[in-house]
Amino acid sequence: MRNIFILALKDIRVANRYKLVAFFHFVFPVLYAILVGYMMSGIVGLGVGMYRGTVSVAVADQDQSEFSAGFLRQLQAAKELKIHQVDFDTAKDMVRRRRCAAHLVLHKGFGSTSWLLTPGGQPRMRLVIDEARIAEGQIVRGMVYMQLMDYVRSHFLRSFTDNPEQNARLRAVFRAYLDVDTQLDSALKQQLIDLLHTWQSVEQTQSTSGGQPPSGPTLATESGRFKDNSILRQIFPITFPQGMIWAMLFSAAFYAISLVEERAEGTLQRLRMAPLTRLQLLLGKGLACMMNCLGTSIALLAVGMLFFGIRSNSYVLLLIGLLSAALSFSGMMMLLASLSKTPAAAEGVSLSALLIMAMLGGAMVPEVVMPPFARTISSYVPIKWAIMAMEGPIRRDFSLGEMAPYCVGLTLLGMACYVVGVFVFRLTED
Amino acid sequence: MIEIINLCKSFGSVVAVDGLSITIRKGELFGLLGPNGAGKTTAVRNICGLLRADAGSVQIAGKPPTDLSVRKKIGLAPQNLALYMDLSAEENLTFLARLYGLSGSRLRQRTDWCLDFAGLQPRRRDRVKTYSGGMQRRLNLAAALMHDPSILVLDEPTVGVDTQSRTAILESILTLRDRGCTILYTTHYMEEAQRLCDRVGIMDHGKLLALDTVGELIQAHGGKALIVLERGGNEERLTTDDPLDALSQLDWEDRPERLRIEPASLESVFLNLTGRGLRD
Ligand SMILES: Nc1ncnc2c1ncn2[C@@H]1O[C@H](COP(=O)(O)OP(=O)(O)OP(=O)(O)O)[C@@H](O)[C@H]1O
Ligand SMILES: [Mg+2]
């Protein structure tokens, strides 16, 4: 045991001499956890109507009517959008040069509103989204239609509510919209339904009292209902465990490479001449690897706890999770290392294995964006187990029993890798 | 002490060691010579148990070299530097010593001894990769001595080392021999082997060509001595088995301006046995 420690301490000492190691083992995972945290909060926030960023849209107003100008003003007021009012060619160009995520053309006749009064009529405008920026494009699409409906509603509320006949036609148009455009998102649908209700009540008040129309319900944007922090508080407990996994993966890969490097540089000869067994040699490296995995992931956890509000329901369980993850990662990497002949091979194999696992396991991209088949594979990837073992005590309130399958799986896998690794390592010369 | 019997080792189609049999006696300083690619390093690695022999066997004090108790006694200075370049000399040495169970004052004492031996005391805390080639080579040798082994296997320990260090190293090696160390020494420097070694084995193409004391080898394979005379700007070369007799028969009326006698040496033995052709 003493020998294993001596070997491990040497390896950690060597590792600490590399500047890049600090970056990959600590800085990168921290950056990952924080940056992805912020990015995901944007994406998730979008889903719950909390998107805080702005998307640039180039708008070409070819109609130049009062109606179109009013609509533009309304668009400009929407804080989710940054409107650049330009001519058509410039608008196209701005999308091409990535200055804008989409361009919107208000064609001649946009303000004539005749399209509104034709059932199934489409607004005389065209929204073109940069295919490479679908997500932002969808925001634009949603916002533009929402604003359009809002604008049209208030416009018509002002000018048409005294004409019951036109009101009825308008209502029919909106109904048609609801039926035809199945792509309308639910929020928008709700808006339209509200609108119809408003009209109904307007008509009723008019027919009963003939007084002033009440103002319709204002467009309810949900932003401001949550504080930004609250969503980050939900996101960081997702991204920090992932960052911890990154820290572990990089640590583990480093030692896989280091073992093969010792073989190439001849220091392994010295170790093999020393009174050590092959098992001790491999375990020494493995222990260094485990300690480094634990050290880096705990450092990351500390950052998360100190500055990003990460908490755990049970630090004992968390430690068990960390230990079993470290055991299995170090085992997998030691197995890879004993199979590799050259440092380049070890580097290639370990890094690609690592990246593929990270990808499938959900350390690289959130599971939400994975296609279904990848999600299925994901549950069989050890990194997924490790993420669960870490998320369990951090955000899922896992009990020991709920943690057990993941931890046991990781531990068994790690031990199996060590056993095979030692066996292979015994067979190799040098 | 070290018994090598009919050792064979091939790498694919390359036969590196081909039926090598040598017995190295206890307390002996044995030199293994051979041109590049002769199979010296391969033999050394088999002797240390780092390679598995295809055939034949190596016994050290009656046990295979892979035996833990045997390994403890061996100090190997590999031909290729085997050092942690990102650690300092001191860290390299203490790490190795700890693996051999040294600690406390004994550890410090051995570390100091080895650093003195390598002449690296002033640089002991610098990283090895910042050392010159010769310094690294000296440390590579010192690292083999750290645990005070009774058997030393030194594979070209003085390559790239300056004359001062070389002299110091050779003296230290002789001291170790006098203290009872058994030493296997490979080198390309004939004068080193001639000066140091009790017995010398010359190998080529994996086979042992000759094995004896330096004197006996020269006698048997050294060929004739060479007498070089310079008269009036011309060089005359005489080869002879008996330089004294040849000198006495010279025409001393026509006195040469210069005279040089080159006795048969280990170098001539080596060239005679392995030929003058270049090696890969
Ligand atoms: N790991 C290896 N794989 C393949 N061939 C090898 C290997 N090691 C040595 N050889 C071959 O075995 C032969 C003997 O090599 P070896 O290193 O033992 O020679 P050497 O006598 O030590 O030479 P040098 O004086 O140049 O160090 C060479 O032909 C070499 O190419
Ligand atoms: Mg060699």
Side-chain angles (χ1 to χ4, degrees):
Chain A
M1 201 58 212
R2 181 174 174 269
N3 283 338
I4 298 177
F5 266 110
I6 296 171
L7 286 167
L9 287 179
K10 176 266 298 173
D11 279 319
I12 288 179
R13 181 170 275 172
V14 170
N16 285 337
R17 297 287 152 90
Y18 290 101
K19 293 207 176 58
L20 223 55
V21 164
F23 176 79
F24 279 115
H25 293 192
F26 184 69
V27 181
F28 173 81
V30 169
L31 284 180
Y32 176 89
I34 298 172
L35 291 182
V36 173
Y38 275 107
M39 286 192 289
M40 267 178 63
S41 75
I43 297 172
V44 174
L46 199 160
V48 295
M50 281 185 45
Y51 185 74
R52 283 321 199 85
T54 56
V55 188
S56 289
V57 187
V59 183
D61 180 7
Q62 298 177 329
D63 192 37
Q64 299 286 349
S65 64
E66 212 176 298
F67 185 84
S68 65
F71 177 54
L72 270 174
R73 274 197 301 282
Q74 169 121 5
L75 277 184
Q76 265 151 355
K79 61 184 176 338
E80 288 86 353
L81 302 177
K82 180 158 174 44
I83 303 297
H84 304 269
Q85 208 179 327
V86 290
D87 65 45
F88 178 56
D89 289 330
T90 318
K92 274 203 301 194
D93 205 47
M94 284 176 92
V95 173
R96 187 178 63 75
R97 287 188 293 129
R98 271 189 85 84
R99 297 270 304 281
C100 293
H103 78 254
L104 175 69
V105 193
L106 307 178
H107 294 299
K108 256 206 154 17
F110 174 74
S112 76
T113 66
S114 61
W115 55 271
L116 260 174
L117 303 177
T118 332
Q122 292 284 326
R124 299 207 160 194
M125 63 177 209
R126 193 171 137 80
L127 181 67
V128 179
I129 294 169
D130 183 349
E131 293 90 342
R133 299 168 77 174
I134 296 292
E136 288 161 283
Q138 290 307 330
I139 300 173
V140 175
R141 193 180 118 87
M143 286 311 297
V144 165
Y145 277 95
M146 215 144 105
Q147 296 298 340
L148 181 63
M149 289 307 153
D150 192 43
Y151 178 65
V152 167
R153 184 192 57 191
S154 55
H155 188 86
F156 282 89
L157 269 181
R158 269 201 312 278
S159 52
F160 286 97
T161 40
D162 50 349
N163 185 339
E165 193 196 332
Q166 260 179 334
N167 276 350
R169 281 169 71 188
L170 208 54
R171 212 161 59 219
V173 172
F174 278 106
R175 281 239 172 70
Y177 262 112
L178 275 176
D179 295 339
V180 171
D181 197 345
T182 48
Q183 285 190 340
L184 282 183
D185 66 57
S186 52
L188 199 51
K189 251 182 195 148
Q190 195 53 53
Q191 291 284 327
L192 287 171
I193 291 166
D194 286 350
L195 191 56
L196 287 165
H197 287 320
T198 316
W199 250 301
Q200 223 143 24
S201 63
V202 167
E203 276 178 337
Q204 273 158 14
T205 28
Q206 275 181 339
S207 59
T208 51
S209 67
Q212 284 290 310
S215 58
T218 49
L219 196 69
T221 54
E222 291 182 52
S223 32
R225 199 198 281 169
F226 304 99
K227 289 250 169 59
D228 252 1
N229 284 348
S230 82
I231 197 143
L232 283 172
R233 230 178 286 138
Q234 295 165 39
I235 297 287
F236 282 138
I238 301 175
T239 57
F240 267 85
Q242 290 181 351
M244 284 154 75
I245 300 288
W246 275 119
M248 284 205 178
L249 289 175
F250 280 122
S251 306
F254 177 83
Y255 289 95
I257 297 164
S258 122
L259 180 62
V260 188
E261 246 168 22
E262 288 217 37
R263 191 194 297 275
E265 283 173 8
T267 44
L268 192 61
Q269 282 181 54
R270 280 211 198 279
L271 301 184
R272 286 193 42 206
M273 290 306 297
L276 300 169
T277 62
R278 296 276 182 115
L279 180 66
Q280 284 176 321
L281 270 182
L282 202 71
L283 286 184
K285 196 62 89 180
L287 179 66
C289 182
M290 264 189 79
M291 293 203 295
N292 203 329
C293 284
L294 282 178
T296 50
S297 52
I298 288 174
L300 204 67
L301 184 66
V303 171
M305 285 170 56
L306 282 175
F307 304 110
F308 297 95
I310 304 289
R311 294 287 173 270
S312 169
N313 65 325
S314 160
Y315 291 97
V316 177
L317 283 185
L318 187 53
L319 190 64
I320 294 176
L322 285 171
L323 276 170
S324 46
L327 178 69
S328 89
F329 288 168
S330 67
M332 286 189 283
M333 288 302 150
M334 289 309 115
L335 176 58
L336 279 182
S338 55
L339 289 170
S340 312
K341 288 278 176 284
T342 63
E347 202 171 333
V349 173
S350 63
L351 283 179
S352 46
L354 185 155
L355 288 180
I356 290 171
M357 284 204 302
M359 214 146 62
L360 291 175
M364 200 183 268
V365 290
E367 212 182 311
V368 269
V369 302
M370 286 187 196
F373 81 92
R375 277 191 222 191
T376 316
I377 299 174
S378 174
S379 10
Y380 299 99
V381 175
I383 286 186
K384 185 79 216 172
W385 309 344
I387 289 180
M388 290 304 283
M390 247 147 267
E391 278 189 358
I394 289 181
R395 60 179 279 265
R396 294 180 191 272
D397 286 335
F398 270 10
S399 64
L400 180 61
E402 288 165 317
M403 284 283 278
Y406 301 109
C407 293
V408 171
L410 287 168
T411 308
L412 288 181
L413 175 72
M415 296 204 300
C417 285
Y418 271 110
V419 170
V420 180
V422 168
F423 181 73
V424 175
F425 193 50
R426 281 223 176 103
L427 293 181
T428 53
E429 292 183 318
D430 277 331
Chain B
M1 188 69 178
I2 304 177
E3 212 168 344
I4 307 158
I5 302 162
N6 193 31
L7 186 70
C8 296
K9 178 74 191 176
S10 307
F11 299 101
S13 62
V14 180
V15 183
V17 175
D18 190 4
L20 189 70
S21 296
I22 300 175
T23 302
I24 300 173
R25 301 173 195 138
K26 192 169 163 53
E28 182 176 38
L29 207 171
F30 186 92
L32 190 58
L33 308 184
N36 289 147
K40 303 180 294 295
T41 300
T42 309
V44 159
R45 279 159 63 186
N46 268 298
I47 291 166
C48 292
L50 291 173
L51 288 176
R52 258 188 293 272
D54 297 337
S57 72
V58 175
Q59 299 267 306
I60 296 178
K63 289 182 186 159
T66 43
D67 192 285
L68 275 191
S69 66
V70 173
R71 262 196 272 159
K72 261 189 216 174
K73 291 187 204 152
I74 305 179
L76 166 69
Q79 179 178 3
N80 296 322
L81 294 174
L83 299 165
Y84 294 99
M85 293 289 165
D86 290 294
L87 299 182
S88 68
E90 187 172 3
E91 286 167 334
N92 267 283
L93 292 173
T94 49
F95 161 64
L96 288 171
R98 289 211 171 91
L99 288 182
Y100 285 90
L102 269 62
S103 60
S105 62
R106 171 101 180 116
L107 175 74
R108 278 194 297 280
Q109 182 204 331
R110 286 304 300 166
T111 311
D112 277 330
W113 187 89
C114 286
L115 287 168
D116 284 332
F117 173 88
L120 288 171
Q121 278 289 7
R123 302 284 304 266
R124 62 191 287 166
R125 293 208 168 78
D126 295 346
R127 291 193 198 185
V128 173
K129 69 175 171 203
T130 66
Y131 295 172
S132 75
M135 292 159 95
Q136 292 175 348
R137 180 62 62 185
R138 277 160 14 211
L139 181 61
N140 192 49
L141 175 56
L145 304 175
M146 194 60 196
H147 58 290
D148 203 7
S150 59
I151 299 166
L152 272 178
V153 181
L154 312 178
D155 198 357
E156 304 195 26
T158 55
V159 180
V161 166
D162 63 29
T163 313
Q164 289 86 341
S165 307
R166 181 191 305 268
T167 314
I169 287 174
L170 296 190
E171 244 136 55
S172 311
I173 288 173
L174 285 173
T175 317
L176 289 168
R177 198 265 318 266
D178 293 342
R179 271 203 251 148
C181 256
T182 306
I183 303 172
L184 172 60
Y185 193 98
T186 82
T187 183
H188 287 288
Y189 300 108
M190 294 302 144
E191 65 289 356
E192 253 177 33
Q194 200 162 349
R195 179 167 155 210
L196 283 180
C197 298
D198 300 319
R199 287 193 304 155
V200 166
I202 295 179
M203 67 183 295
D204 199 3
H205 303 298
K207 289 196 170 73
L208 190 67
L209 302 178
L211 191 165
D212 217 326
T213 62
V214 175
E216 291 296 324
L217 283 175
I218 292 173
Q219 195 88 68
H221 307 282
K224 299 180 191 310
L226 181 71
I227 300 175
V228 183
L229 301 166
E230 272 183 41
R231 278 200 186 106
N234 290 329
E235 219 180 58
E236 285 174 34
R237 290 167 164 265
L238 304 171
T239 48
T240 169
D241 286 325
D242 187 350
L244 264 184
D245 187 45
L247 281 177
S248 66
Q249 287 175 21
L250 275 179
D251 175 13
W252 292 102
E253 296 297 299
D254 184 8
R255 225 179 126 80
E257 287 116 45
R258 250 186 224 111
L259 178 146
R260 194 166 84 233
I261 302 171
E262 287 178 11
S265 65
L266 198 53
E267 186 157 332
S268 41
V269 174
F270 187 81
L271 289 174
N272 287 340
L273 284 172
T274 60
R276 287 178 184 271
L278 282 184
R279 299 313 165 98
D280 42 34

